[in-house]
């Protein structure tokens, strides 16, 4: 019997519904970064960005409710990324979408929809100054 290479994980939620996270959906490489302060040899502190993780993600359009929650004036610059479950992502971080070489500021990390720790959803807005 052939193996379905498209299915990465099939998990059973609390309600007994199986959810599949497909490899084909995760078609963007993103790097999540956090701000850190480093001190140079002269003792001057400088803020720099440090990589936290590089993962595969999908980029999805915002739903109607998310569109208005993101403030309609900025919604065209706001996107939602979906990655495999990863704790520790915070709104003070940023991410780089390597497909378009665009840097986004993480605005919100949404709760795991199914409560089964299979996905993390990140609401991000394009940074104007990088």
């Amino acid at each position: 019997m052939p193996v379905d290479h498209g299915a990465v994980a099939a998990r059973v939620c609390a309600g007994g519904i199986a959810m599949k996270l497909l490899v084909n959906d995760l078609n963007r490489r993103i790097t999540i970064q956090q701000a850190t302060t480093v001190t140079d040899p002269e003792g001057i502190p400088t803020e720099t960005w440090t990589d936290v993780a590089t993962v595969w993600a999908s980029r999805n359009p915002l739903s109607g409710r998310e569109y208005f929650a993101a403030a309609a004036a900025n919604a065209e610059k706001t996107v939602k990324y979906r990655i495999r479950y990863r704790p520790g992502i915070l709104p003070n971080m940023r991410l780089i979408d390597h497909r378009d070489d665009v840097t986004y500021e993480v605005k919100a990390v949404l709760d795991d929809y199914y409560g089964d720790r299979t996905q993390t959803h990140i609401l991000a807005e394009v940074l104007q100054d990088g």
Side-chain angles (χ1 to χ4, degrees), residues 59-62 66-67 70-81 95 97 102-107 122-129:
R59 189 170 78 178
N60 304 91
L62 298 178
E66 291 164 335
Y67 180 88
N74 293 324
E76 69 278 355
K77 299 184 293 183
T78 305
V79 296
K80 181 172 65 174
Y81 285 90
L95 66 86
D97 186 330
V102 176
T103 302
Y104 295 87
E105 178 181 3
V106 175
K107 289 295 188 180
I122 303 168
L123 202 60
E125 186 176 295
V126 173
L127 275 176
Q128 295 302 318
D129 58 1

Side-chain angles (χ1 to χ4, degrees), residues 32 58-70 78-93 95 105-125:
I32 300 166
S58 66
R59 189 170 78 178
N60 304 91
L62 298 178
S63 70
R65 179 178 293 166
E66 291 164 335
Y67 180 88
F68 290 109
T78 305
V79 296
K80 181 172 65 174
Y81 285 90
R82 181 180 59 151
I83 63 173
R84 291 188 183 99
Y85 178 76
R86 183 173 195 92
I89 300 172
L90 303 170
N92 62 351
M93 295 180 171
L95 66 86
E105 178 181 3
V106 175
K107 289 295 188 180
V109 181
L110 305 177
D111 291 337
D112 184 15
Y113 290 168
Y114 302 102
D116 62 353
R117 295 185 174 191
T118 58
Q119 299 179 28
T120 296
H121 295 255
I122 303 168
L123 202 60
E125 186 176 295

Side-chain angles (χ1 to χ4, degrees), residues 28-31 59 81 95-104:
R28 291 179 174 270
R29 199 74 169 154
I30 64 169
T31 299
R59 189 170 78 178
Y81 285 90
L95 66 86
I96 300 169
D97 186 330
H98 295 290
R99 176 183 283 185
D100 302 328
D101 199 29
V102 176
T103 302
Y104 295 87

